[in-house]
Amino acid sequence: MATITVDGERYEVSEGRTVLQALDDLGVLMAGVEIPHYCWHPKLSIDGSCRLCQVEVEGVPKLQIACDTRVRDGMVIDTKSERVRRAREGVMELLLVNHPLDCPICDQAGECKLQDYAFAYGVGHSRSREARRPAKKRVELGPTIVFDQERCILCRRCVRFCREVPGSGELGVFARGDDSMIETFPGAELDNPYSMNVADICPVGALTTRDFRFKIRVWFLEDVPGLCTGCSNGCNVHLGVANNKVYRYVPRRNDAVNETWICDAGRLSYQQIGSADRLTQALVRGELGVLEQTPLPEALDAAAGALRGVVDAHGAEAIGGVASAHASNEDLFVFRRFLQALGARSAAVAVPTGDSDEVLIKAEKAANAEGARALGFMGPTELVEALGSGALRAVVVMGHDLVGSGAVELAALAGLEVIVLLDTHRSELERIAHVVLPTRHAAEKDASYTNHAGRVQRSFAAVEPAFEARPDGELLSGLGVRLGLPGFDGRFDVAAISDALAAEHPTFAGRALASLSEDGAPGPEG
Ligand code: FES
């Protein structure tokens, strides 16, 4: 360890780190110690090109760049001296020489570091009389990113990101000196599974996503901490919310989970929240064999009545439960209790799978497969056997993973007397279900999820559905009380459920919702 002094404050830092890295490790960079920077990024290699991070180091005649100056014991740093301020002003003047200063029509306005630092260190007038250099406008670099080249300050974060994170390297700096420009290599498109991260790390409005560009001014958005539920990595995100609508996901830094990145598929998965195929009303199959819109209490009555009929005729063992790997720990816990209280035969979970990589993307395409397994929901083998032997007469299904994952053919379920489906979106399974109950998306409820490494993380209700969807646990509580199951009184308090889960299951001990930080609680694998 080394002791350094920054603006009169002493800090214990790790030897071998640069000044910016050491302050970032402590969590004080830009959160107490203000050293503006463009080209440095905590998860990319050091470039040292923008020169904005200059600081004064005692005993060193010239200003030093904090991003590439190693700490040493006894180092005394001044980030606020007059020399430093003048250096920042000089850097900003040069960076703005070719910038169009088009903040009123730039989509980055409001979250633009050039705007912020121009405000803090800009000189308020231009000394250049020359025309700004010509540059390309609205270039589609690939399927996801639009490039306004005239705004680029050549920090090269995007170039380093493509080389160092996805390893695709589509971008480079072309020409020299004053003519230098970022471009894609000839014949190449910016098209990799993580391409949209370049818009997050671009400190100006040069790179923007086609998806979010010009949808809403960012100062209208509230950032709500949450999780991407597209795969079992559980990447931390901020949900950009306004008007009870989620406009975007952007990565939220969690070094143990996703560093500062998110894949494009996960980023765009916010579109599922308000998609046209959401289930918006409870449905009950009527006498004519058609699903009919039904008030939720009546649909719950119908589901309970149908399940009661199966219990009376064949016994509770004739009922199976299919959990969803998309469901939260709390909803799964209630489902487990429900099935146990009912005396149901089997409790399975089917997990949809897909591509994976070494960066973030995991093969299990659901947020909580690990949580479901921890709660005793195993693969669907036993359930498939029970279906094949005719031992099952009814199933209660959370979500359409069972069919969507290919674990069970729709035809194998078609002969069941009762299918009660709790789901967020329309699906094939709905075609043969007898009662369909609309549930909430992860962005619409307080809940926790366990990622592939056993880390329990929480998400918050960011929006309220405009229709009558309820958390799965609340619907199951409603079913439980109608069936007269012990331990069910019809109430659903997610905090109390979470406390009970933490008290009952060693895996969740000390990891109730109320005790989870925004970074979550690590599992055995971190
Ligand atoms: Fe240090 Fe750019 S952040 S030179």
Side-chain angles (χ1 to χ4, degrees):
M1 300 297 285
T3 301
I4 63 172
T5 304
V6 183
D7 300 332
E9 287 286 329
R10 286 160 67 87
Y11 299 97
E12 289 283 315
V13 298
S14 301
E15 289 269 15
R17 303 290 275 166
T18 68
V19 173
L20 286 195
Q21 286 169 339
L23 295 172
D24 182 55
D25 293 345
L26 294 171
V28 297
L29 181 62
M30 310 314 284
V33 180
E34 308 297 307
I35 303 179
H37 52 276
Y38 286 126
C39 66
W40 184 79
H41 185 280
K43 301 299 173 185
L44 297 175
S45 61
I46 294 167
D47 203 56
S49 57
C50 76
R51 318 308 286 181
L52 188 61
C53 66
Q54 294 175 78
V55 293
E56 202 160 353
V57 179
E58 196 174 271
V60 180
K62 288 187 176 178
L63 296 180
Q64 303 294 301
I65 52 172
C67 66
D68 204 13
T69 300
R70 310 256 157 217
V71 295
R72 55 182 162 68
D73 198 33
M75 195 178 214
V76 178
I77 298 163
D78 190 339
T79 75
K80 295 179 177 166
S81 71
E82 182 58 19
R83 274 180 81 200
V84 169
R85 193 186 60 75
R86 276 194 278 113
R88 288 175 187 169
E89 283 181 2
V91 169
M92 285 307 302
E93 185 173 15
L94 289 171
L95 288 176
L96 292 170
V97 158
N98 279 308
H99 191 81
L101 299 173
D102 59 342
C103 305
I105 57 152
C106 176
D107 205 42
Q108 187 82 0
E111 55 183 359
C112 174
K113 289 296 170 198
L114 196 70
Q115 194 177 37
D116 292 349
Y117 297 152
F119 195 70
Y121 306 110
V123 290
H125 61 274
S126 172
R127 288 189 286 165
S128 70
R129 296 173 174 221
E130 295 76 17
R132 279 150 167 73
R133 66 176 182 169
K136 295 176 189 166
K137 190 71 186 153
R138 286 185 292 279
V139 183
E140 295 194 349
L141 294 184
T144 59
I145 294 292
V146 180
F147 185 30
D148 289 292
Q149 198 177 44
E150 83 284 15
R151 296 179 186 146
C152 176
I153 59 167
L154 286 163
C155 71
R156 301 191 282 230
R157 280 180 171 187
C158 54
V159 175
R160 282 173 285 144
F161 172 81
C162 289
R163 283 182 193 157
E164 295 168 16
V165 181
S168 46
E170 300 98 325
L171 296 173
V173 181
F174 292 80
R176 294 190 168 207
D178 195 29
D179 291 330
S180 298
M181 291 285 192
I182 303 284
E183 302 268 11
T184 48
F185 282 94
E189 277 198 320
L190 176 56
D191 187 8
N192 65 66
Y194 298 89
S195 64
M196 294 162 88
N197 289 282
V198 299
D200 301 329
I201 60 175
C202 177
V204 300
L207 296 166
T208 49
T209 67
R210 287 172 70 174
D211 178 67
F212 181 68
R213 194 174 152 94
F214 299 126
K215 269 194 182 159
I216 187 170
R217 282 302 202 179
V218 294
W219 50 83
F220 293 122
L221 292 179
E222 180 190 358
D223 279 342
V224 181
L227 304 171
C228 171
T229 54
C231 83
S232 60
N233 201 53
C235 290
N236 291 203
V237 297
H238 274 126
L239 290 73
V241 178
N243 312 315
N244 197 35
K245 178 179 169 184
V246 179
Y247 282 82
R248 67 175 180 181
Y249 283 172
V250 289
R252 176 165 58 89
R253 184 173 178 179
N254 186 333
D255 289 350
V257 178
N258 54 298
E259 299 197 323
T260 57
W261 319 124
I262 186 176
C263 73
D264 291 354
R267 182 188 300 263
L268 295 177
S269 67
Y270 81 90
Q271 294 169 349
Q272 295 167 5
I273 301 167
S275 64
D277 62 341
R278 282 294 298 271
L279 279 168
T280 58
Q281 190 126 22
L283 305 167
V284 176
R285 200 165 293 281
E287 288 175 3
L288 297 176
V290 179
L291 285 175
E292 296 169 1
Q293 294 186 352
T294 308
L296 186 58
E298 289 175 30
L300 285 166
D301 290 343
L307 292 172
R308 171 62 60 206
V310 172
V311 173
D312 292 345
H314 309 289
E317 308 81 45
I319 298 177
V322 183
S324 170
H326 286 97
S328 69
N329 289 321
E330 293 72 28
D331 289 337
L332 289 168
F333 180 56
V334 175
F335 193 37
R336 185 83 223 179
R337 279 182 161 182
F338 174 84
L339 293 173
Q340 282 169 346
L342 189 62
R345 178 191 177 91
S346 52
V349 65
V351 186
T353 55
D355 292 343
S356 64
D357 66 19
E358 296 297 311
V359 186
L360 298 177
I361 301 169
K362 299 291 180 288
E364 292 193 318
K365 300 302 176 195
N368 204 25
E370 198 58 34
R373 287 189 284 266
L375 282 163
F377 294 98
M378 291 303 154
T381 312
E382 192 188 324
L383 184 103
V384 171
E385 284 172 10
L387 279 171
S389 68
L392 275 188
R393 301 300 179 100
V395 286
V396 180
V397 187
M398 299 171 91
H400 52 271
D401 298 341
L402 187 66
V403 173
S405 66
V408 173
E409 294 292 324
L410 201 61
L413 298 164
L416 291 171
E417 291 173 27
V418 176
I419 299 174
V420 176
L421 172 62
L422 292 75
D423 213 346
T424 50
H425 290 77
R426 310 197 72 137
S427 70
E428 287 278 288
L429 195 50
E430 183 194 328
R431 281 179 24 212
I432 59 166
H434 299 89
V435 180
V436 180
L437 303 169
T439 61
R440 292 196 173 203
H441 184 278
E444 298 165 343
K445 60 188 178 187
D446 291 340
S448 73
Y449 301 82
T450 309
N451 83 348
H452 70 102
R455 175 175 287 263
V456 179
Q457 307 186 97
R458 73 169 297 174
S459 68
F460 298 85
V463 288
E464 186 70 15
F467 42 85
E468 200 173 26
R470 295 275 186 267
D472 301 64
E474 185 177 331
L475 295 171
L476 291 163
S477 298
L479 268 183
V481 75
R482 282 168 172 79
L483 286 163
L485 300 181
F488 286 83
D489 59 8
R491 285 180 294 180
F492 177 75
D493 175 349
V494 72
I497 294 290
S498 180
D499 289 344
L501 171 61
E504 266 184 45
H505 279 263
T507 312
F508 296 94
R511 299 155 108 195
L513 278 178
S515 58
L516 291 176
S517 72
E518 281 196 5
D519 283 353
E525 292 177 46

